Amino acid sequence: MAVREAEPITSLREVKEAGLDREDLLDIYRHMLVTRGIEERGHILYKQGKIPGSFYTGRGNEASAVGVATAMGPDDWGTPLHRDMGVHVTRGVEPWRIFAQYMGRVDGPTKGKDGNVHMADSNLGLIAMVSHLPAMLPVAVGCALAFRIRNERRVAVAWFGEGAAARGDTHEGMNLAGVRRLPVVFVCDNNQWAYSTPTYLGYGIEHLADRAAAYGFEGVVVDGTDVLAVYREAKRAIEKAREGGGPTLIESLTLRMEGHAVHDDAFYVPRELFEEWARKDPIERYRTWLRENADMSDEEEDELTGGVKKLLNDAIRRAEESPLPDPDTLAHGVYATPEELDTPHHK
Amino acid sequence: MAVREAEPITSLREVKEAGLDREDLLDIYRHMLVTRGIEERGHILYKQGKIPGSFYTGRGNEASAVGVATAMGPDDWGTPLHRDMGVHVTRGVEPWRIFAQYMGRVDGPTKGKDGNVHMADSNLGLIAMVSHLPAMLPVAVGCALAFRIRNERRVAVAWFGEGAAARGDTHEGMNLAGVRRLPVVFVCDNNQWAYSTPTYLGYGIEHLADRAAAYGFEGVVVDGTDVLAVYREAKRAIEKAREGGGPTLIESLTLRMEGHAVHDDAFYVPRELFEEWARKDPIERYRTWLRENADMSDEEEDELTGGVKKLLNDAIRRAEESPLPDPDTLAHGVYATPEELDTPHHK
Amino acid sequence: MAEKTYLQAISDALRQEMRRDQRVFVIGEDVGVYGGAFKVTLGFQEEFGPWRVIDSPLSETAIVAGCTGAAIVGMRPVAEMQFADFVSCAWDHLTTVAAKQRYRAGTPVPIVVRLPSGGGFSGGPFHSQNPESSFAHIAGLKCVCPATPEDAKGLLIAAIEDPNPVLFFEHKHLYRRIKGEVPDERYTVPIGKARTHRAGEDVTVVTWGAMVYTADEAAKQLEADDVSVEIVDLRSVMPWDKGAVLESVRKTSKVLVLHEDTRTGGFGAEIAATIAEEAFEDLDAPIKRIAAPDTPVPFSPPLEKAFIPQVDDVAAGLRELAQNYMNCLDLALPSPRTQDA
Amino acid sequence: MAEKTYLQAISDALRQEMRRDQRVFVIGEDVGVYGGAFKVTLGFQEEFGPWRVIDSPLSETAIVAGCTGAAIVGMRPVAEMQFADFVSCAWDHLTTVAAKQRYRAGTPVPIVVRLPSGGGFSGGPFHSQNPESSFAHIAGLKCVCPATPEDAKGLLIAAIEDPNPVLFFEHKHLYRRIKGEVPDERYTVPIGKARTHRAGEDVTVVTWGAMVYTADEAAKQLEADDVSVEIVDLRSVMPWDKGAVLESVRKTSKVLVLHEDTRTGGFGAEIAATIAEEAFEDLDAPIKRIAAPDTPVPFSPPLEKAFIPQVDDVAAGLRELAQNYMNCLDLALPSPRTQDA
Ligand SMILES: Cc1ncc(C[n+]2csc(CCOP(=O)(O)OP(=O)(O)O)c2C)c(N)n1
Ligand SMILES: Cc1ncc(C[n+]2csc(CCOP(=O)(O)OP(=O)(O)O)c2C)c(N)n1
Ligand SMILES: [Mg+2]
Ligand SMILES: [Mg+2]
């Protein structure tokens, strides 16, 4: 079975059909700007020595992350990975907490216990990733299993990279989801590289979305720089899952626009490829679309970018005020206490 | 991509084209009889209390195991599983050693360290299975990798059950084999049940062979009760791999004709299914074919079955003479010594 | 109150919890129509339906990771490994995700993984193992190893209630062999509290699981020598009841740590090391460990018998300790320590 | 002979072996053009080509199981885990297949798995672990943990030569920090033999890997107190050099076991337990363990610093032991033991 290749979105009419009003469209833009802004600022903080450890960004993946997250319902759950900052932003994590996380401060979602994008706010329906890829994918399948057991109209979204697609966890999760037709959507962030490893050394087929057929569900390839097309495909897949139609595998094609992490200059990626994909920059592309199709005015844009700038400046300031964790808390919280389960999810 | 469904073999001409002469045809028959005989006798020994632990048979899978093993070259390697006694028999393991293995005697291939089909003679190009399924599949891929590194015209064969196809190891092994186009043939013993679990609870597609497309190689479904068709497909796949054509996934369809192991009466398998597949018994089917197409005479048949009977009687006698291991040897052999690597394979 | 096998106690406890709490479900290979390889969930699917008694694909990572996901959104999953040995296939998930999620991200993972473990039936290297030591080293997991039917029930319910990932090691050799009175009503046995299986004065045995019975037989042998043995059944190795162990050691001054898992790096080492650090001054003899030798579990009966600690091995160990004690008394003045110094 | 970093010693040793022996190949994520995450195989692919320096998919089981298959048919594979932490994804293969194949089936599995391990860089819970204790418990595996460039080379070559699966733990914190003279010619350091990193009389420290240097700094502090510390660098934890440890303990009568991995069930427990069993009469003080606390490795610098044993922690531990020794002398007659008895 050949996968379906999604068409780009070209007109406002199509967007409306997909369920977005103008407010939503601007929100999407704002989320993409905030996402990139957080990572750009993070990079600077890293260079200033304010962020310990390593530093990763998802530059080039903003449309994909924000597009999918926008399509999720408020009660849906997801397991975003290290290129998916846009998911956290879209679901409402406050940027200052992300900077606090980066800097290992107590107000980061992990309180300094873990670093960089290894975080999530479970009150926003997100589960924190681990390094091991893609260990969270079968966890998302487990969320979907619970939704199915309880007959809830909720969906889980599992992200994974095209490199991580080689791991057994991908397979076990997808197979279980397929055989039980669970309400889960798999989103492959195919950014063409896994660290220094190009796709042709990672797998022997053209489209990873073709793997969906091996599990009995649908696959679709979407241009990951087209936020509206990503949104439309995610929305379709999520609503299909919600209606009992089973999983979908969405392969979102982008290019990882920076090195694997801050220490990596990506010498192994042909320069022309970077140039080619820079021309398709998802934020620039969407900005143009908004101006051409949604009458985004100069004032609107200035207000928006100004707002983002202020948000980030304030966020960094607030994060820097957050203290480093007290070493005496080192051993706290290895085990949960019964009271912790008295949350809305554990009823 | 739809998988290819292999045609049955109907005439002697086809068989000759596939590279078998009449001697080979009778050998195949003998190997199938020996295979079933070993397991039937084993079952009796088990009931007599002479075999400790549990006991598994591959009844119904004799054609598949013998057919594939017959297609392998002498320098090829394989990792047969618990339904594949026919592979050991065809590659030349002496039956008395198998009985010794069953009974935990020192002359079994594992010297009493392991039981039942968890054995192999590495001098015959076989690697002993572990219980964990299908942990040996990526090991076979590793053999193929070595052949490729050394530019040898050798092939590895990896068996796995349709149930075990759900495990991550299957995926990782096939993905590596696919991306590197390694000389390995994957043989799925699809006997429709994984213990009590039917295929529709194991995976969400019709033919497991379809998974080959997810890794960029060919898949084929063959009737596992037709030893000659199995042989032909295995031969094709093995020679293709030998010529640099990469892996093939062969799904061999049978029914597990007994319970999962001796303690299991398989109440969960519809009786009619057993009856239906009993009519397709691979040995009976091949016997008829030999009589109709290869002029197997009564005398020939009697000689053959008589020979097998004697072989097995002698084998059991000899195995029973083999001593149980000395408890003082318990801790021997956990670690290998350097001298052990002075074997033909380690040059 | 009724007499039940260890197996029945586990089965009944699980059924009781499932009746009581809609959030509890079971998932594993062949747990449905077949009732699981050991029939612990026999009849469950009829009662609770196929979505609370889930026959999974042969897929340990998907089973356990699936439980984690379900737990995070509010379920109380109980996974069955067909044999404890196969949990190696879920090692990464358990140690990487389940064990660390609470600490890192503040997300409790209330899952239970049931693990039919232990040898004694010629199950061979892959159907006989006792992997509790490996998991007990991983912060964030709990490891429970009941020895009696009553504890099996109370600890299983405690495990399901516990907001953390709990590995529940059920010893297969106890399943049908061990019977005992089990209260009908719901109750929990606290995880981390040892039980004095046998009170004694002269030597302490610290053990758990099936070895409790081996120790008990050995203790009976020692009665003839007028040596009184105290058996501390840990009931869980993570957390383990250090207080109870140290208390017993302070009383007897001699200790034998016994387990069925292999010796080197087994959890017995932790117990012995802790005693050596915290009760050193109370000891009258070296801390003895008896455990399986450092080999895979062999299949053939004479080898397996030599592998699993037997009553005679334990009795011999106890005698040696008692003996050593006598020698110590002789040497009391001047003590061996001062001679070295 | 030339001065080299620990990293360079490993890289050069591997290159030397690959030049010498066609059977040796390397496989791992990004080991080719990129030269591996830590650049150990930088330039290797140019020299040896893409079939002896194999960029694998992100697939730890396939990498390590693939090595096993290749080894069985005659190769000498060296796998690289990008970080030691990711070896959890190959746990099942290593413990189920590689560790047991020789014992069960008589099939040697001569593979090496290189594991960049250890913390100290805010790598967080998944880029900082020291998983040697988990593997050391599994019979059939060997675990090597060199501390010096010279040992790193000699032990890596010994590991490649060894007919068994060897896990080679390279401490990342030593990679570029530690330099030393490394002979140019090919040589091996026997696996299982400890090295006296520092000779002393009063207290023994048993340790390995990066903690050797922590212990050394602490020992220097203790010089001021006139306490002479002996440091035994185990160099491999499986097999571990019990003889050398017991010998040192017999000399000093006081021992501190130190490791960077977490405490409970860490390999230090095995060492302490063995000493408590076999050198009990030689001890003048409780056996002390210093290790990381039982938590995942935290990311934020103040937490990570509190997690990894620091020089001051070790020095304090040594002082306490030395102190205890003094007390012991006071109490020598009558000894605390006889009071209890
Ligand atoms: C199991 C595992 N092995 C190795 C790594 C180290 N690693 C981190 S990211 C990465 C590449 C991931 O590639 P991909 O899945 O395509 O995601 P991308 O980083 O390209 O978004 C690797 C190998 C890991 N995180 N997990
Ligand atoms: C990893 C793992 N989990 C569980 C088992 C227990 N088990 C043994 S055979 C079996 C069913 C295997 O089914 P399949 O792969 O179809 O092979 P078959 O026995 O049908 O030939 C199961 C679940 C196992 N061997 N390995
Ligand atoms: Mg990628
Ligand atoms: Mg089957």
Side-chain angles (χ1 to χ4, degrees), chain A residues 114 129 330 335-336 340 345, chain C residues 74 76 102-104 141 164:
Chain A
D114 206 339
M129 68 176 286
L330 167 63
Y335 291 93
E340 291 178 53
H345 320 300
Chain C
R76 291 301 185 98
R102 170 62 192 81
Y103 184 75
R104 296 169 51 244
L141 302 178
N164 296 288

Side-chain angles (χ1 to χ4, degrees), chain B residues 13 27 61 74 87 111 113 119 122 149 166 168 175 197 296 301 331:
Chain B
R13 188 184 48 73
D27 274 349
N61 200 50
V87 175
K111 306 189 165 125
K113 298 284 175 55
M119 54 161 209
S122 61
I149 293 171
N175 186 63
T197 308
M296 181 166 72
E301 203 183 335

Side-chain angles (χ1 to χ4, degrees), chain C residues 130-184:
Chain C
N130 295 279
E132 66 268 17
S133 307
S134 298
F135 290 100
H137 176 53
I138 307 300
L141 302 178
K142 293 191 176 181
C143 298
V144 175
C145 313
T148 68
E150 187 178 345
D151 283 350
K153 173 172 175 172
L155 284 167
L156 181 56
I157 296 177
I160 295 171
E161 261 190 5
D162 200 283
N164 296 288
V166 181
L167 302 181
F168 190 83
F169 295 88
E170 318 175 347
H171 200 292
K172 300 193 293 285
H173 200 39
L174 305 179
Y175 268 162
R176 296 187 162 84
R177 185 170 60 108
I178 297 300
K179 288 188 180 143
E181 293 294 321
V182 180
D184 294 324

Side-chain angles (χ1 to χ4, degrees), chain C residues 9 18 28 101 124 147 167 172 220 223 230 236 244 246 259 326 341:
Chain C
M18 289 184 71
Q101 208 69 7
L167 302 181
K172 300 193 293 285
K220 282 181 198 141
E223 277 174 5
E230 174 145 307
S236 66
L246 293 181
H259 58 64
M326 309 302 169

Side-chain angles (χ1 to χ4, degrees), chain B residues 240-312:
Chain B
K240 177 180 173 179
R242 204 185 301 291
E243 299 309 322
T248 303
L249 166 48
I250 299 175
E251 178 178 354
S252 167
L253 257 180
T254 61
L255 181 68
R256 195 192 68 206
M257 295 301 290
E258 296 180 321
H260 170 65
V262 65
H263 65 271
D264 169 22
D265 66 4
F267 68 87
Y268 47 81
V269 179
R271 293 299 103 173
E272 316 80 69
L273 211 57
F274 278 131
E275 286 157 21
E276 178 193 333
W277 284 80
R279 288 192 293 274
K280 301 198 259 189
D281 179 74
I283 297 187
E284 203 44 51
R285 176 174 179 171
Y286 186 47
R287 177 174 168 272
T288 308
W289 189 92
L290 282 174
R291 295 188 69 104
E292 287 173 4
N293 292 275
D295 304 315
M296 181 166 72
S297 65
D298 287 346
E299 300 77 63
E300 245 176 345
E301 203 183 335
D302 288 350
E303 201 192 307
L304 214 149
T305 49
V308 169
K309 200 169 172 181
K310 180 164 175 345
L311 178 72
L312 297 177

Side-chain angles (χ1 to χ4, degrees), chain C residues 34-71:
Chain C
Y34 198 75
F38 297 96
K39 305 291 182 188
V40 169
T41 57
L42 192 65
F44 278 40
Q45 199 171 61
E46 279 161 44
E47 178 168 352
F48 302 107
W51 286 101
R52 284 186 69 207
V53 182
I54 303 176
D55 274 317
S56 74
L58 202 166
S59 213
E60 282 74 11
T61 292
I63 293 169
V64 186
C67 286
T68 293

Side-chain angles (χ1 to χ4, degrees), chain D residues 147-171:
Chain D
T148 68
E150 187 178 347
D151 284 350
K153 173 172 176 174
L155 284 166
L156 181 56
I157 295 177
I160 295 171
E161 262 190 7
D162 199 284
N164 296 288
V166 181
L167 302 181
F168 189 84
F169 295 87
E170 317 175 348
H171 201 292

Side-chain angles (χ1 to χ4, degrees), chain A residues 82-83 131 133 161-164 191 193-194 260, chain D residues 29 60 82 86:
Chain A
H82 52 303
R83 311 295 178 198
S131 284
L133 296 169
E162 90 295 338
N191 57 12
W193 257 269
H260 169 65
Chain D
E29 293 150 17
E60 282 74 12
Q82 197 153 84
F86 302 129

